[in-house]
């Protein structure tokens, strides 16, 4: 129902603009992506990872949040990235979450570049638009920063900060947009295998721990993913398949009290 959807979006476990536009790949790894971020979706998790994205790439994702809750409650995102050699990689992204009575829209410009062979820095600027029927429109903006470093060839560490300028929409504590700090570690023992661990924190919320795994079974044809996160405890699973420069992703996430969440993604590279 509309009341249930509004309760989810306004509740302490979700809140406004809690869906930054993470890819289906990141969702399938339960959000353990801060030290992985090597695709255009890095704009949402750690903009420094854009420095690792080659060529021109397009990604998109769509999912019904918790089955839509009978109101078509959804989240969709689109991102395009362009690598400009030594100037790094820039990405432009659009994200929308909501349903008929409540809509959250984000436009984000992000840029990642190398400071050294194994060290990358990134930043992003987001424009936020909130619409609520019978209330009207609200606008704000946010600043994101990120770092990503490779250690000993198979290890990488990442740090990201979302909405460092502490943006607000309206008055009262419920008008604060989420300020999120995240630290992650990733381990790649060989091509196609990634193990990731994340710790993230938002003011007034419990610390969240995420663990994710990605395993490529058949090169270019089948990759499996899984993960778990805390606060609340959610399990995730996903897969990727594709041919050539086109791939399709799927992610499934559980919730302690709400219906399953399905996310579909498409990626094209040149």
């Amino acid at each position: 129902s509309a009341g249930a959807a509004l309760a989810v979006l306004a509740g302490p476990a979700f809140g406004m603009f809690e869906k930054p536009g993470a890819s289906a790949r990141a969702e399938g790894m339960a959000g353990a992506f801060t030290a992985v971020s090597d695709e255009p979706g890095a704009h949402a998790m750690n903009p420094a990872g854009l420095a690792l994205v080659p060529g021109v790439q397009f990604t998109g994702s769509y999912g019904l949040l918790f089955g839509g809750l009978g109101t078509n409650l959804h989240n969709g995102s689109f991102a395009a990235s362009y690598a400009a050699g030594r100037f790094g990689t820039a990405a432009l992204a659009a994200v929308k979450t909501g349903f008929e009575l409540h809509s959250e829209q984000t436009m984000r410009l992000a840029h990642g570049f190398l400071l050294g062979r194994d060290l990358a820095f990134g930043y992003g600027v987001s424009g936020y638009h909130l619409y609520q029927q019978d209330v009207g429109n609200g606008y704000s903006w946010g600043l994101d920063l990120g770092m990503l470093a490779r250690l000993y060839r198979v290890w990488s560490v990442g740090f990201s900060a979302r909405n460092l300028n502490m943006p607000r929409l309206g008055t009262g504590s419920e008008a604060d947009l989420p300020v999120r700090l995240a630290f992650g570690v990733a381990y790649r023992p060989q091509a196609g295998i990634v193990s990731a661990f994340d710790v993230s924190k938002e003011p007034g919320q419990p610390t969240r721990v995420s663990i994710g795994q990605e395993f490529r079974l058949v090169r270019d044809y089948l990759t499996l993913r899984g993960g778990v996160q805390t606060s609340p405890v959610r399990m995730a699973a996903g897969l990727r398949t594709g041919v050539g420069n086109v791939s399709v992703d799927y992610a499934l996430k559980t919730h302690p009290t709400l219906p399953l969440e399905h996310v579909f993604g498409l990626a094209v590279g040149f």
Side-chain angles (χ1 to χ4, degrees):
S1 69
L6 284 171
V8 169
L9 290 171
F14 198 87
M16 293 190 300
F17 293 95
E18 285 285 354
K19 285 288 188 179
S23 65
R25 181 187 177 199
E27 296 283 14
M29 297 176 67
F33 214 65
T34 304
V36 179
S37 300
D38 54 0
E39 61 175 23
H43 73 86
M45 305 299 289
N46 184 356
L50 290 171
L52 308 178
V53 181
V56 177
Q57 299 192 34
F58 301 91
T59 62
S61 66
Y62 180 84
L64 287 177
L65 300 180
F66 314 115
L69 296 177
T71 65
N72 192 35
L73 177 62
H74 63 275
N75 174 255
S77 66
F78 173 81
S81 66
Y82 173 75
R86 62 189 181 91
F87 296 104
T89 300
L92 180 65
V95 185
K96 183 179 180 181
T97 302
F99 66 113
E100 183 180 1
L101 304 181
H102 180 109
S103 176
E104 302 170 4
Q105 299 179 45
T106 304
M107 290 293 297
R108 180 177 295 118
L109 178 63
H111 178 218
F113 56 93
L114 293 174
L115 294 176
R117 188 179 66 176
D118 297 320
L119 179 64
F121 173 80
Y123 60 92
V125 178
S126 302
Y128 298 114
H129 172 216
L130 173 67
Y131 166 78
Q132 291 180 324
Q133 192 176 58
D134 301 327
V135 176
N137 298 279
Y139 301 89
S140 190
W141 70 280
L143 174 65
D144 306 335
L145 296 177
M147 297 285 290
L148 186 64
R150 186 175 64 176
L151 307 174
Y152 307 112
R153 297 199 308 181
V154 297
W155 291 93
S156 60
V157 296
F159 171 80
S160 68
R162 185 190 308 158
N163 291 328
L164 271 177
N165 59 317
M166 296 183 288
R168 297 171 57 83
L169 278 167
T171 59
S173 60
E174 68 277 3
D176 294 333
L177 272 64
V179 177
R180 177 180 180 270
L181 301 179
F183 173 80
V185 178
Y187 174 63
R188 295 179 173 88
Q190 64 183 63
I193 299 178
V194 181
S195 301
F197 173 84
D198 265 34
V199 178
S200 60
K201 176 67 176 176
E202 294 183 16
Q205 299 293 333
T207 299
R208 174 174 293 172
V209 176
S210 301
I211 301 174
Q213 178 71 48
E214 182 176 72
F215 184 80
R216 187 173 64 198
L217 287 179
V218 183
R219 183 180 179 87
D220 297 330
Y221 291 105
L222 183 60
T223 298
L224 300 181
R225 305 182 182 109
V228 61
Q229 71 172 54
T230 64
S231 304
V233 175
R234 303 184 68 182
M235 307 292 291
L239 60 84
R240 165 173 285 185
T241 187
V243 177
N245 294 331
V246 179
S247 59
V248 177
D249 292 277
Y250 168 74
L252 170 71
K253 294 186 75 174
T254 67
H255 191 277
T257 57
L258 296 170
L260 294 174
E261 187 173 322
H262 303 271
V263 183
F264 299 89
L266 177 67
V268 180
F270 298 95

